[in-house]
Amino acid sequence: MQKFDQALILDDMGRPIRQEGPVSSRDWDEVEAFCRQVYLPFQVRPLGRMLRPEATMRQARIGRIVVTRFSYGVPIHLNDTDVSSGHVIVLNTLAGALRHKLGGRSDTVTRAGDSFVVDCSRVDHWLDADADHMQLNLTIPHDVIADVARRWFGFVPDDRLWTRRLAFGERGSRWMSLLGYAVRCIGADGLVRGDSPMARHLEELLCVELLHSWALGSGLALTDGARAAAPHYVREAEQIMEAEACEAPAISDVAMRVGVSGRTLSEGFRRFRGITPRDFLRDRRLDGIRAALERAQPGQTVTSIASDWGYVNFGALARAYRQRFGENPSQTLLRHR
């Protein structure tokens, strides 16, 4: 894995990548704190008596994706992952080997050049790592990758995808090439800044390629008529909410106009889109505000544009906007002045 030898150690110009906090440790509590911060809570124990870690703990960010170069430095068993974390974890093995739970009593082993994805917001997980393991991992909020699926493919996959633990990729695969490119874009400050076009571009590329690989390995299709497969009332409701997003129509009114009950509409969206109608409308409204900010005229402000869209709680808007786009509304406006 030569192209990853210096990943998260040196940037593409040969400069050391800075990081706050320790980049190595022999203290279990310190290693656990790092893992809780960048991954999620879980239990880990060494596979041997009186073993102390010789951990590598490096991290960087690509937009909303946390990238880590990590190893315990000793053989370990990891289990009891916290499904409330909301994170998808992609474990890319640079050296050594990991044995992962697949489901039931089955498992699989990943070695140098292999990758493994598990949505820890949907399923628990366990793994064994040998003493030589070294990982280049991604931590992606589930909502981020679900939103990419919605925008690229017109729907959010259901749990047939999210509950599938999958080994994928190999040396020289498109996924590993993209990952190599992404980490080379990380600067000496350890960031591809969340408010930069490059960060959004790389975040999008990584999520799309991961979705393609994940769906292919799960036997699911993302592109062949997924939108058309939804009932007519779901598609008609989408058209209404897209056209009238600025007016924020009531979901009960939308349901009545397409000829179904509110409950039927909600169940249709959950089954065929993986979200609620309210989520769909919220995202269309945020998309509309973003477009308005990008084409704002002199004298227009975030407040005036938000007011035009019927928002009165600007703090709540800023939080939702930041979660969806990785930047504040004011940053979008300033970038297009």
Side-chain angles (χ1 to χ4, degrees):
M1 303 296 291
Q2 184 174 0
K3 65 182 177 181
F4 293 107
D5 282 352
Q6 301 302 316
L8 274 61
I9 300 173
L10 302 176
D11 72 4
D12 208 32
M13 301 294 291
R15 299 169 299 188
I17 294 177
R18 299 189 298 275
Q19 176 179 313
E20 293 184 6
V23 297
S24 62
S25 179
R26 301 207 65 197
D27 180 271
W28 281 112
D29 290 339
E30 193 169 51
V31 178
E32 179 184 10
F34 175 84
C35 291
R36 282 177 173 268
Q37 175 194 356
V38 301
Y39 302 127
L40 67 157
F42 52 75
Q43 297 295 319
V44 67
R45 59 178 172 83
L47 296 177
R49 297 184 62 187
M50 306 299 290
L51 290 179
R52 294 177 61 194
E54 297 181 8
T56 297
M57 307 184 306
R58 292 182 174 271
Q59 63 173 305
R61 297 191 73 92
I62 298 175
R64 291 165 290 180
I65 298 175
V66 179
V67 188
T68 47
R69 184 186 186 98
F70 181 75
S71 169
Y72 282 98
V74 294
I76 59 93
H77 175 76
L78 182 155
N79 63 357
D80 288 343
T81 53
D82 183 355
V83 295
S84 68
S85 67
H87 290 154
V88 173
I89 306 294
V90 189
L91 300 108
N92 306 284
T93 301
L94 303 182
L98 272 65
R99 183 168 66 95
H100 306 264
K101 174 181 181 178
L102 283 179
R105 296 185 178 182
S106 60
D107 57 60
T108 191
V109 174
T110 56
R111 303 184 188 279
D114 298 333
S115 299
F116 189 93
V117 59
V118 55
D119 186 348
C120 291
S121 75
R122 296 296 188 272
V123 294
D124 62 350
H125 193 56
W126 63 254
L127 64 83
D128 294 329
D130 68 15
D132 299 321
H133 71 278
M134 179 62 71
Q135 301 297 123
L136 188 69
N137 299 330
L138 305 181
T139 304
I140 310 174
H142 174 93
D143 289 348
V144 168
I145 195 166
D147 183 59
V148 170
R150 186 183 305 121
R151 286 186 282 107
W152 276 72
F153 306 111
F155 76 116
V156 177
D158 59 28
D159 278 353
R160 289 176 297 169
L161 181 74
W162 307 126
T163 59
R164 179 68 179 269
R165 306 171 184 88
L166 180 73
F168 69 100
E170 58 187 9
R171 271 183 211 269
S173 67
R174 190 166 68 176
W175 167 254
M176 292 304 287
S177 296
L178 174 60
L179 186 61
Y181 169 70
V183 297
R184 288 196 299 274
C185 292
I186 295 172
D189 57 2
L191 298 170
V192 180
R193 295 194 177 278
D195 59 351
S196 72
M198 175 63 80
R200 294 194 301 275
H201 176 65
L202 288 176
E203 181 183 280
E204 194 102 337
L205 284 179
L206 288 165
C207 288
V208 170
E209 185 59 33
L210 176 60
L211 283 164
H212 276 299
S213 298
W214 202 348
L216 180 64
S218 302
L220 301 175
L222 293 175
T223 57
D224 57 352
R227 287 185 68 90
H232 71 89
Y233 61 82
V234 171
R235 302 196 304 275
E236 291 173 8
E238 288 176 327
Q239 292 172 2
I240 291 171
M241 289 188 283
E242 286 175 350
E244 303 177 14
C246 189
E247 287 75 34
I251 301 303
S252 58
D253 179 60
V254 173
M256 182 180 66
R257 290 163 66 182
V258 301
V260 298
S261 68
R263 180 175 180 178
T264 296
L265 184 63
S266 293
E267 289 177 349
F269 265 83
R270 286 194 177 94
R271 179 178 178 187
F272 292 95
R273 299 299 188 243
I275 56 173
T276 67
R278 194 173 304 280
D279 290 337
F280 181 88
L281 178 59
R282 177 204 61 206
D283 289 346
R284 300 294 75 76
R285 285 171 59 74
L286 290 171
D287 290 344
I289 288 176
R290 185 174 181 83
L293 291 168
E294 291 175 341
R295 60 173 185 267
Q297 299 299 310
Q300 285 188 294
T301 65
V302 172
T303 300
S304 67
I305 291 171
S307 296
D308 289 342
W309 280 78
Y311 279 93
V312 293
N313 187 335
F314 302 118
L317 168 62
R319 287 191 296 273
Y321 191 97
R322 188 164 53 247
Q323 183 176 15
R324 180 163 173 78
F325 300 115
E327 63 180 5
N328 291 319
S330 58
Q331 293 172 301
T332 304
L333 182 64
L334 287 172
R335 196 170 59 252
H336 289 85
R337 285 298 191 194

